[in-house]
Short mmCIF file of all heavy atoms in Angstrom, two decimals:
data_model
loop_
_atom_site.label_atom_id
_atom_site.label_comp_id
_atom_site.label_asym_id
_atom_site.label_seq_id
_atom_site.Cartn_x
_atom_site.Cartn_y
_atom_site.Cartn_z
N ASP A 203 27.90 62.58 -244.06
CA ASP A 203 27.76 61.28 -244.71
C ASP A 203 28.64 60.24 -244.03
O ASP A 203 28.24 59.07 -243.92
CB ASP A 203 28.17 61.40 -246.17
CG ASP A 203 27.23 62.28 -246.99
OD1 ASP A 203 26.03 62.33 -246.65
OD2 ASP A 203 27.69 62.94 -247.93
N GLY A 207 27.05 57.05 -242.19
CA GLY A 207 27.62 55.78 -242.62
C GLY A 207 28.16 54.96 -241.48
O GLY A 207 28.02 53.74 -241.44
N THR A 231 23.22 46.99 -253.75
CA THR A 231 24.37 46.12 -254.02
C THR A 231 25.27 46.18 -252.80
O THR A 231 25.35 47.19 -252.06
CB THR A 231 25.19 46.62 -255.25
OG1 THR A 231 25.75 47.91 -254.93
CG2 THR A 231 24.29 46.69 -256.47
N PRO A 232 26.05 45.12 -252.56
CA PRO A 232 27.03 45.16 -251.45
C PRO A 232 28.00 46.28 -251.61
O PRO A 232 28.39 46.91 -250.59
CB PRO A 232 27.69 43.77 -251.52
CG PRO A 232 26.73 42.91 -252.24
CD PRO A 232 26.02 43.81 -253.19
N GLU A 233 28.40 46.61 -252.81
CA GLU A 233 29.34 47.70 -253.06
C GLU A 233 28.79 49.03 -252.62
O GLU A 233 29.47 49.83 -252.02
CB GLU A 233 29.73 47.75 -254.54
CG GLU A 233 30.50 46.55 -255.06
CD GLU A 233 29.62 45.31 -255.33
OE1 GLU A 233 28.38 45.48 -255.49
OE2 GLU A 233 30.19 44.24 -255.41
N ASN A 234 27.48 49.27 -252.88
CA ASN A 234 26.84 50.50 -252.43
C ASN A 234 26.70 50.53 -250.90
O ASN A 234 26.86 51.60 -250.30
CB ASN A 234 25.50 50.70 -253.11
CG ASN A 234 25.64 51.23 -254.51
OD1 ASN A 234 26.73 51.56 -254.97
ND2 ASN A 234 24.51 51.30 -255.23
N ILE A 235 26.42 49.38 -250.29
CA ILE A 235 26.33 49.37 -248.84
C ILE A 235 27.68 49.76 -248.26
O ILE A 235 27.75 50.62 -247.33
CB ILE A 235 25.94 47.96 -248.34
CG1 ILE A 235 24.55 47.55 -248.81
CG2 ILE A 235 26.06 47.82 -246.82
CD1 ILE A 235 23.41 48.46 -248.38
N GLU A 236 28.76 49.23 -248.75
CA GLU A 236 30.09 49.55 -248.25
C GLU A 236 30.44 51.02 -248.54
O GLU A 236 31.05 51.66 -247.69
CB GLU A 236 31.12 48.60 -248.86
CG GLU A 236 30.97 47.18 -248.32
CD GLU A 236 31.82 46.13 -249.02
OE1 GLU A 236 32.46 46.46 -250.07
OE2 GLU A 236 31.84 45.02 -248.56
N ALA A 237 30.04 51.53 -249.66
CA ALA A 237 30.30 52.95 -249.99
C ALA A 237 29.53 53.86 -249.05
O ALA A 237 30.05 54.91 -248.60
CB ALA A 237 29.96 53.24 -251.44
N ILE A 238 28.29 53.52 -248.75
CA ILE A 238 27.48 54.34 -247.80
C ILE A 238 28.13 54.30 -246.43
O ILE A 238 28.27 55.34 -245.79
CB ILE A 238 26.03 53.78 -247.73
CG1 ILE A 238 25.28 54.14 -249.06
CG2 ILE A 238 25.30 54.34 -246.53
CD1 ILE A 238 23.99 53.36 -249.22
N GLU A 239 28.53 53.14 -245.99
CA GLU A 239 29.14 53.03 -244.67
C GLU A 239 30.50 53.75 -244.58
O GLU A 239 30.86 54.17 -243.49
CB GLU A 239 29.31 51.53 -244.32
CG GLU A 239 27.99 50.86 -244.13
CD GLU A 239 28.06 49.35 -243.85
OE1 GLU A 239 29.21 48.82 -243.89
OE2 GLU A 239 27.03 48.73 -243.59
N ALA A 240 31.18 53.91 -245.66
CA ALA A 240 32.40 54.64 -245.69
C ALA A 240 32.23 56.14 -245.89
O ALA A 240 33.18 56.91 -245.85
CB ALA A 240 33.33 54.09 -246.77
N GLY A 241 30.98 56.55 -246.14
CA GLY A 241 30.72 58.00 -246.36
C GLY A 241 30.99 58.43 -247.77
O GLY A 241 30.99 59.64 -248.03
N ARG A 242 31.25 57.51 -248.69
CA ARG A 242 31.52 57.89 -250.09
C ARG A 242 30.27 58.04 -250.91
O ARG A 242 30.27 58.63 -251.98
CB ARG A 242 32.43 56.87 -250.76
CG ARG A 242 33.81 56.78 -250.12
CD ARG A 242 34.73 55.88 -250.95
NE ARG A 242 34.14 54.58 -251.25
CZ ARG A 242 34.26 53.49 -250.51
NH1 ARG A 242 34.94 53.51 -249.38
NH2 ARG A 242 33.70 52.32 -250.88
N LEU A 243 29.14 57.47 -250.40
CA LEU A 243 27.88 57.56 -251.09
C LEU A 243 26.85 57.99 -250.09
O LEU A 243 26.81 57.44 -248.95
CB LEU A 243 27.51 56.17 -251.67
CG LEU A 243 26.26 56.05 -252.51
CD1 LEU A 243 26.42 56.86 -253.78
CD2 LEU A 243 26.05 54.59 -252.91
N ARG A 244 26.02 58.95 -250.43
CA ARG A 244 25.01 59.48 -249.53
C ARG A 244 23.84 58.49 -249.38
O ARG A 244 23.35 57.96 -250.35
CB ARG A 244 24.52 60.79 -250.05
CG ARG A 244 23.52 61.49 -249.08
CD ARG A 244 23.42 62.95 -249.41
NE ARG A 244 24.65 63.57 -248.98
CZ ARG A 244 25.00 64.79 -249.36
NH1 ARG A 244 24.27 65.48 -250.16
NH2 ARG A 244 26.13 65.31 -248.91
#
Side-chain angles (χ1 to χ4, degrees):
D203 295 327
T231 65
E233 294 79 17
N234 281 353
I235 297 299
E236 291 171 352
I238 288 167
E239 292 177 356
R242 295 187 312 269
L243 185 64
R244 183 163 289 164

